[in-house]
Structures are given as C-alpha cells and as structure tokens.
Amino acid sequence: MPDKKTIGKKEAEKLERIAFILKTVAHPLRLGIVHLLEQHSQLSVSEICTMLGSEQSLTSHHLQNMRLKGILHAERDGRSMLYTLKERDVSSIISCLENCNCNM
C-alpha cells in the first residue's frame, strides 16, 4: 500500500484562504463586481450599478459584504464611495476557474 501524505499546516491554511475567498465571491453579482474592478482601478457604486444593470441597494449590500471580508477597499470621495480590489488573489483564483476545462 502506498504511503499516504497528510496535508501540512501551511497547505491547510492556503486551502482555508482559497475557500474563504470562493465563499465570499460565490454570487453572480459579486463575481461581476470583481470582474469590473479587475478592469478599472476604482469605481463608484453608481458606476458599478450602471455597468452591471443592478439595483443600488443590492449592489451596495454586496460591496459592503466584500469590503468587510477584506476583498475590497472603499474610500470616500465627497458623497460617494470608490471601491478598489484589495485582495488580488481573487483574480488569480477566478482566472484559474475560468480557464479550466471543466464540463460546465
């Protein structure tokens, strides 16, 4: 019988981090937000709503959730908030999933 290896602490922590990121962005609107912020350095809520065709209250809810979980950074600009992608690993993970040859 082949020798089975266990997952080390570092590998387990890496998997936890990936799972956390996937859970946080696992919604079509959140994925759309991440996609837009990959293309634009920063966007306001109204710009995101216009580009995605989404309601402001729902979009704001998702933006706040991702900000609280450390995926996005928000900065006040007068009366509006500008959002940027804080967690760049999100892009790598999503890109990997988009490029896989899964039967989707």
Side-chain angles (χ1 to χ4, degrees), residues 67-82:
R67 183 183 62 77
L68 291 172
K69 292 185 177 178
I71 304 296
L72 303 180
H73 173 73
E75 183 178 300
R76 184 164 295 284
D77 181 38
R79 291 180 51 163
S80 63
M81 295 293 281
L82 296 176

Side-chain angles (χ1 to χ4, degrees), residues 65-102:
N65 182 289
M66 289 193 292
R67 183 183 62 77
L68 291 172
K69 292 185 177 178
I71 304 296
L72 303 180
H73 173 73
E75 183 178 300
R76 184 164 295 284
D77 181 38
R79 291 180 51 163
S80 63
M81 295 293 281
L82 296 176
Y83 289 88
T84 58
L85 193 57
K86 180 179 177 182
E87 185 53 71
R88 289 286 165 188
D89 288 345
V90 174
S91 299
S92 300
I93 293 168
I94 292 171
S95 177
C96 182
L97 290 171
E98 287 175 342
N99 293 324
C100 78
N101 291 321
C102 305

